Each structure stands twice: as structure tokens, then as C-alpha cells.
Amino acid sequence: MPESTHVTRLLLDWRGGDAGALDDLLPLVYEELRGLARRHMAGESDGHTLQPTALVHEAWVRLVDADIAWQDRAHFFAAASRMMRRLLVDHARSKHRQKRGGGRARVTLQAADVVTPPIDLDILALDEALEALAAEDPRKARAVELRYFGGMNLEEIAEVTDVSIATVHRDIRMATAWLMSRLSDDPDGDAPA
């Protein structure tokens, strides 16, 4: 059985009440979760107090406790990515409160399919911009989140969001441009213009 089909089967069994499926699932998804955590942490400072392994473990605990009707492997990794982003944002907010703005965590938004050079920005500002985009256009926000934070390719995003690959590509380009514009207008002056 191909791994993606096996992961989907275990997720469905787990959702159906088979606690043993959860024990079988972790070894199949652990390395991919670590890669996802490394992508999320790539723009963080070297002295970041949260490490990728801890991010994976905290996300796993929260995913296990969450009441989610798992659909398939792609749905699981999209939820894991979103959970990791939430954990990093919560961590940054906590540090921000402790230091009153000093030592903010940094993250780089990079787009292989955007001509504009990447921007080095504050994860809190990025989270606020993503929330504003989600309020304006939830589909575009989800596509860009799955691409940059979830590490999904266009085909996987199209499958998860149930739209064409061309629509996903267009959504990501438009959302990235919108986010870059929004972040360049940062009132605190933290993001470069």
C-alpha cells in the first residue's frame, strides 16, 4: 500500500475510534512533521528558544487532542502546518509581551514563483497580515498558508482546496503580492519598504 494511502487509512481508522492506529501513524509521519517544523523555523533567529523537535511534539499533542474529522493525508499535514504556525505565533507573542517588543522572532517569506525579492519580516506582522487576508479572501489565505507554511506543491493544494491548479497558482501569486504590499506598509516600520 503506498504510504499516502496508508496514512489516510490510519487517519480514518483513528477517527473511527481505533486508538492503535494512532501508534502506527506517528512513525509514518514523524520525519515529514520534522521537515515541516524545520521549514517553519527556517527564518527564526539562531537563539530561538523553541526547537523544531519541540515544535513537532507540541503540535502532535494538540493534533491528537483536537476533534478533527480527518479526511486524508493532505488534510492532516495542512492541519499540522497551521498548528505549527499558531504555536510559533503564540510563542512570539509571549516573548513580545515579556520583552515589550525587543527580540521579536524573524521569519522570511520566500516565493519561488514571485519575481519580487523575499522580505525579512516579523512573524507577528505576518500573522496579522494573513488574518486580514483571510477576512478578505479565505481561499487565497489558505492557499498561501499551505504553500509557504505547509510546504505543499500546487497539485496538493488544488486537491485540498478543491480548485484547479491554475486557480491555486493565481491565488498564491495574488495573495503573496497582497501580503508583501501589506507588510511593506507596516506602521511600526519593522518591514522594509
Side-chain angles (χ1 to χ4, degrees), residues 69-137:
W70 301 111
Q71 298 167 7
D72 56 22
R73 178 189 173 282
H75 181 232
F76 173 79
F77 283 106
S81 179
R82 185 167 188 84
M83 183 67 67
M84 287 180 190
R85 182 172 78 90
R86 294 279 12 125
L87 288 166
L88 285 172
V89 167
D90 291 346
H91 183 76
R93 283 189 178 132
S94 173
K95 291 206 55 107
H96 180 68
R97 279 191 299 270
Q98 291 172 2
K99 295 187 176 189
R100 303 241 182 240
R104 287 184 181 179
R106 307 293 283 186
V107 66
T108 302
L109 176 64
Q110 295 178 349
D113 54 354
V114 176
V115 179
T116 311
I119 297 177
D120 186 32
L121 54 101
D122 184 305
I123 194 166
L124 294 176
L126 176 59
D127 183 60
E128 289 171 12
L130 276 170
E131 293 297 325
L133 177 59
E136 190 172 308
D137 193 328

Side-chain angles (χ1 to χ4, degrees), residues 14 46 59 74 116 131 134 165 174 178 181 190:
W14 175 31
D46 289 337
T116 311
E131 293 297 325
I165 294 171
M174 292 176 72
W178 188 94
S181 173
D190 291 335

Side-chain angles (χ1 to χ4, degrees), residues 18-189:
D18 180 0
L22 186 60
D23 294 333
D24 295 337
L25 179 64
L26 182 59
L28 290 176
V29 299
Y30 188 77
E31 283 308 312
E32 196 163 345
L33 288 172
R34 281 192 41 85
L36 191 59
R38 281 191 294 274
R39 282 193 296 276
H40 277 280
M41 303 276 314
E44 301 291 333
S45 64
D46 289 337
H48 199 284
T49 57
L50 188 62
Q51 297 300 315
T53 300
L55 183 59
V56 168
H57 292 186
E58 184 62 29
W60 178 258
V61 167
R62 291 189 185 193
L63 288 168
V64 168
D65 290 342
D67 184 22
I68 300 173
W70 301 111
Q71 298 167 7
D72 56 22
R73 178 189 173 282
H75 181 232
F76 173 79
F77 283 106
S81 179
R82 185 167 188 84
M83 183 67 67
M84 287 180 190
R85 182 172 78 90
R86 294 279 12 125
L87 288 166
L88 285 172
V89 167
D90 291 346
H91 183 76
R93 283 189 178 132
S94 173
K95 291 206 55 107
H96 180 68
R97 279 191 299 270
Q98 291 172 2
K99 295 187 176 189
R100 303 241 182 240
R104 287 184 181 179
R106 307 293 283 186
V107 66
T108 302
L109 176 64
Q110 295 178 349
D113 54 354
V114 176
V115 179
T116 311
I119 297 177
D120 186 32
L121 54 101
D122 184 305
I123 194 166
L124 294 176
L126 176 59
D127 183 60
E128 289 171 12
L130 276 170
E131 293 297 325
L133 177 59
E136 190 172 308
D137 193 328
R139 189 184 74 207
K140 285 183 179 64
R142 185 159 189 226
V144 80
E145 184 177 43
L146 292 171
R147 175 77 168 150
Y148 297 117
F149 294 107
M152 292 185 170
N153 63 37
L154 299 179
E155 291 81 13
E156 291 170 322
I157 297 168
E159 181 181 328
V160 168
T161 58
D162 198 30
V163 297
S164 71
I165 294 171
T167 299
V168 170
H169 184 68
R170 188 172 43 254
D171 283 354
I172 289 173
R173 289 182 57 82
M174 292 176 72
T176 302
W178 188 94
L179 287 168
M180 294 176 106
S181 173
R182 173 81 175 225
L183 292 167
S184 67
D185 295 336
D186 181 14
D188 295 332

